[in-house]
Amino acid sequence: MIELIGKTTRIVPRSGGPLAQDDMDRARQTPGNERIIMSDLELVRAAIAARENSYSPYSNFAVGAALLCADGTVYGGCNIENAAYSPGNCAERTAFFRAIFDGRRDFTAIAIVGGPAGEPISELCAPCGVCRQVMREFCDPATFRILLGTSADEFVESTLEELLPYGFGPENLGR
């Protein structure tokens, strides 16, 4: 279960009982040794919730993103348009920039959804090239997962490496 709280999403711990096998890889330990789990579908649903905040009066195309940090924190983002067009910002970068401002640097996955404003999502909404490059700056391309939601119950998963082969990163500049 996820719960949107202000600038981030809090993961509500599952209590009792063993973890399902498909959840084992996503389980993390908190300082109090509680098990916290963010399933892929919960991450997609967080992106759907973030999409509700989209400001897209020009394209009428609303996008939402939910960025999962390694510690289980989730940052939402939406697309924000501008009459001058180029000052607008994509949902994915909004989520990344919020997390980076809060000092986060360790990310594991992002869910992205989009489609005509006011309508349910039904098609894939892949990140643009600029967003892929921002992801590349902060994420391991081989392990960072990108979930493209087509509904609250379905998504397609790729790695950043699959969506940005031969990407340019900090190591290309000796960092």
Side-chain angles (χ1 to χ4, degrees):
M1 175 179 180
I2 57 173
E3 184 177 314
L4 294 176
I5 309 175
K7 65 180 179 178
T8 62
T9 302
R10 178 170 62 100
I11 302 167
V12 178
R14 288 185 186 165
S15 58
L19 294 173
Q21 185 60 44
D22 61 338
D23 288 332
M24 293 301 277
D25 293 338
R26 305 218 196 328
R28 291 169 294 286
Q29 295 292 320
T30 65
N33 291 321
E34 295 174 322
R35 288 180 292 191
I36 296 181
I37 299 169
M38 170 58 85
S39 75
D40 290 345
L41 285 177
E42 288 172 321
L43 194 61
V44 170
R45 291 175 187 143
I48 292 169
R51 180 177 178 248
E52 295 298 317
N53 294 322
S54 170
Y55 178 73
S56 49
Y58 306 106
S59 71
N60 199 39
F61 194 85
V63 180
L67 176 63
L68 179 62
C69 300
D71 69 357
T73 305
V74 174
Y75 284 84
C78 64
N79 59 324
I80 304 166
E81 296 181 348
N82 186 286
Y85 294 105
S86 63
N89 201 52
C90 297
E92 300 91 316
R93 284 182 283 145
T94 299
F96 265 93
F97 296 162
R98 291 176 69 204
I100 292 161
F101 176 79
D102 280 352
R104 307 294 179 158
R105 298 292 188 278
D106 194 6
F107 309 108
T108 61
I110 190 168
I112 306 162
V113 299
E119 295 181 22
I121 58 169
S122 61
E123 296 182 19
L124 296 177
C125 180
C128 73
V130 174
C131 289
R132 294 175 198 201
Q133 188 61 49
V134 168
M135 292 175 198
R136 178 65 179 85
E137 181 70 20
F138 296 99
C139 304
D140 177 354
T143 61
F144 185 71
R145 300 177 320 116
I146 300 170
L147 312 176
L148 306 176
T150 55
S151 75
D153 299 313
E154 296 179 325
F155 63 89
V156 172
E157 179 177 341
S158 300
T159 63
L160 178 56
E161 190 170 58
E162 291 170 325
L163 295 184
L164 186 66
Y166 309 108
F168 185 85
E171 67 280 358
N172 295 104
L173 298 175
R175 297 191 57 109

